[in-house]
């Protein structure tokens, strides 16, 4: 590993392969990396506050301490909003799209993000993450609109996440493979640590909240039951790994292989996870890494979101397991509407 390649340098090298590029996407990715540095600083501190038992309500400047996910939201809105590279934003924390402040330079990209997914886990010191999805704008000029974001995932031009775990990592792709950068606090830089990440074609892990098993559709039930049988040649049973924090569960699946799934259930017939700023960006990444992502009937990348906060069932990981899951859905559920 060459630990002298910063994320800025890597992004610049990618841009060199695209002479037609204006540099806006590079600038946007660097703005996201900068936001990640600020967010990771607060995520680390939040754990400290809890340990020391400080009130955490009013800080030394007399400001109300924002909830961590609202802090992450405001950092991303401000750093990306004033970057000059976007025409519109969407966040898990806001019902509608976020327009740029009056007079802010309007750029050619549209971005949706989940500022801090899994933040309910922070008190247990569990890894959490920020997820982002980037499109080239579709509206012709001026302020962007929701039309720039209600698009199938196959139209994304970049996607990624920042994982606040035992170390902070930024993992992204802009169409030239998936690359991972580990934050070095002593240098204040994200350094290239995982170039060209490829997911194993099949794995030995499955990742799901088995507590919902009773009300899953038949195909998902039988698929998971199959993974738990031991029959030798298939190298089964698979091992269960579930953190309950999407970015952490996805990252492990990306690195080790296997499958992460959040099927629909009685309480959530549409599934729990969000399409625009969770499933679609992770689907883009996993396909760039040689994997697959499905809603059970077909690729996530083909689904046109009905709204910014639309939910979807998600089956994502190694192609072997995702294809096997789809065969179970077809056999036991027929073709669910995609
Ligand atoms: P459950 C966290 O709340 C989250 O949105 C994702 O990060 C995670 O994958 C999922 O929900 C966990 O859901 O129902 O298993 O607690």
């Amino acid at each position: 590993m060459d630990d002298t390649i910063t994320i800025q340098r890597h992004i610049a090298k990618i841009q060199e392969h695209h002479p037609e590029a204006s540099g806006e996407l590079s600038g946007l990715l660097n703005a996201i990396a900068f936001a990640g540095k600020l967010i990771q600083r607060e995520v680390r501190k939040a754990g400290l506050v809890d340990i020391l038992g400080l009130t955490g309500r009013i800080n030394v400047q007399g400001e109300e301490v924002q909830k961590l996910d609202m802090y992450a939201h405001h950092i991303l809105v401000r750093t990306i909003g004033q970057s000059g590279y976007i025409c519109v934003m969407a966040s898990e924390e806001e019902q509608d799209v976020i327009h740029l402040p009056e007079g802010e330079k309007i750029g050619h990209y549209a971005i949706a993000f989940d500022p801090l997914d899994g933040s309910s886990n922070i008190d247990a010191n569990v890894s959490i993450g920020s997820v982002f999805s980037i499109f080239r704008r579709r509206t012709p000029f001026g302020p962007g609109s929701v039309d720039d974001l209600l698009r199938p995932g196959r139209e994304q031009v970049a996607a990624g996440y920042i994982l606040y775990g035992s170390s902070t990592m930024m993992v992204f792709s802009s169409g030239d493979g998936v690359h991972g950068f580990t934050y070095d606090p002593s240098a204040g830089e994200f350094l290239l640590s995982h170039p060209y990440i490829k997911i194993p074609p099949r794995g030995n892990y499955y990742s799901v909240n088995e507590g919902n098993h009773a009300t899953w559709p038949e195909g998902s039930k039988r698929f998971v039951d199959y993974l738990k049988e031991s029959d030798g040649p298939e190298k089964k049973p698979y091992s269960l790994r579930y953190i309950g924090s999407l970015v952490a569960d996805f990252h492990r699946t990306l690195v080790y292989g296997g499958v992460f799934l959040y099927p629909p259930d009685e309480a959530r017939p549409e599934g729990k996870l969000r399409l625009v700023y969770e499933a679609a960006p992770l689907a883009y990444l996993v396909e760039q890494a040689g994997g697959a992502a499905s809603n059970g009937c077909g690729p996530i990348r083909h689904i046109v979101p009905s709204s910014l906060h639309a939910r979807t069932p998600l089956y994502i990981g190694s192609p072997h397991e995702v294809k096997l899951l789809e065969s179970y859905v077809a056999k036991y559920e027929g073709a669910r509407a995609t």
Side-chain angles (χ1 to χ4, degrees):
M1 179 189 88
D2 179 347
D3 63 359
T4 62
I5 298 182
T6 64
I7 194 167
Q8 292 86 348
R9 179 73 202 107
H10 181 85
I11 290 169
K13 283 168 69 177
I14 293 176
Q15 187 180 327
E16 285 162 12
H17 297 154
H18 299 273
E20 77 287 358
S22 67
E24 279 197 39
L25 181 56
S26 298
L28 179 53
L29 290 167
N30 280 312
I32 295 167
F34 175 64
K37 294 179 186 177
L38 299 180
I39 295 168
Q40 74 86 31
R41 185 184 59 185
E42 291 305 302
V43 166
R44 304 293 173 221
K45 208 190 296 180
L48 185 60
V49 168
D50 287 326
I51 290 169
L52 293 180
L54 297 179
T55 62
R57 292 261 174 260
I58 303 294
N59 67 17
V60 290
Q61 288 82 15
E63 293 160 351
E64 187 186 346
V65 175
Q66 294 157 331
K67 275 181 62 183
L68 212 47
D69 39 14
M70 284 311 291
Y71 174 84
H73 165 78
H74 289 309
I75 286 290
L76 284 163
V77 168
R78 285 205 298 268
T79 49
I80 293 170
Q82 64 196 12
S83 67
Y85 303 128
I86 55 126
C87 65
V88 70
M89 289 179 269
S91 168
E92 190 260 355
E93 297 291 343
E94 295 269 355
Q95 186 57 38
D96 302 314
V97 293
I98 302 162
H99 292 291
L100 301 185
E102 193 64 36
E104 199 65 69
K105 181 173 179 290
I106 296 176
H108 293 94
Y109 290 92
I111 185 168
F113 47 77
D114 187 350
L116 205 59
D117 179 78
S119 56
S120 57
N121 292 301
I122 191 78
D123 291 349
N125 203 15
V126 168
S127 301
I128 53 182
S130 308
V131 190
F132 60 90
S133 165
I134 299 173
F135 293 91
R136 188 147 178 99
R137 73 176 303 169
R138 182 159 68 176
T139 50
F141 51 80
S145 79
V146 72
D147 294 341
D148 290 301
L149 290 166
L150 292 187
R151 299 157 69 175
R154 65 174 180 269
E155 294 181 9
Q156 292 173 100
V157 293
Y161 54 84
I162 300 164
L163 174 61
Y164 312 98
S166 48
S167 61
T168 297
M169 274 191 77
M170 179 161 164
V171 178
F172 81 90
S173 176
S174 52
D176 297 299
V178 179
H179 308 284
F181 301 81
T182 301
Y183 185 62
D184 177 347
S186 62
E189 296 284 5
F190 279 104
L191 302 177
L192 181 63
S193 54
H194 299 75
Y196 294 101
I197 299 173
K198 285 291 179 192
I199 190 168
R202 63 178 298 168
N204 299 313
Y205 296 103
Y206 73 105
S207 185
V208 67
N209 180 346
E210 292 242 24
N212 302 323
H213 184 281
T215 65
W216 287 340
E218 195 60 21
S220 297
K221 273 185 184 172
R222 291 180 180 250
F223 170 70
V224 168
D225 294 345
Y226 171 74
L227 297 184
K228 297 199 284 190
E229 289 167 7
S230 56
D231 69 356
E234 281 278 318
K235 293 202 308 277
K236 289 188 298 157
Y238 281 56
S239 293
L240 172 61
R241 296 283 185 278
Y242 192 71
I243 301 170
S245 192
L246 176 61
V247 177
D249 280 319
F250 173 79
H251 186 71
R252 184 202 52 253
T253 304
L254 181 69
V255 173
Y256 292 159
V259 61
F260 169 88
L261 53 158
Y262 207 108
D265 57 41
E266 218 158 65
R268 291 163 288 236
E270 296 302 310
K272 174 178 187 181
L273 301 177
R274 308 288 187 171
L275 175 57
V276 171
Y277 42 78
E278 291 176 346
L282 297 184
Y284 177 89
L285 283 175
V286 83
E287 291 184 344
Q288 279 285 318
S294 171
N295 69 349
C297 300
I300 291 287
R301 70 173 180 280
H302 289 332
I303 307 173
V304 179
S306 56
S307 68
L308 273 183
H309 305 288
R311 298 177 191 269
T312 178
L314 179 63
Y315 306 88
I316 190 168
S318 298
H320 173 80
E321 284 82 6
V322 174
K323 285 190 179 67
L324 186 63
L325 172 277
E326 288 185 329
S327 69
Y328 272 81
V329 171
K331 182 174 179 181
Y332 294 102
E333 299 174 29
R336 262 195 268 133
T338 54

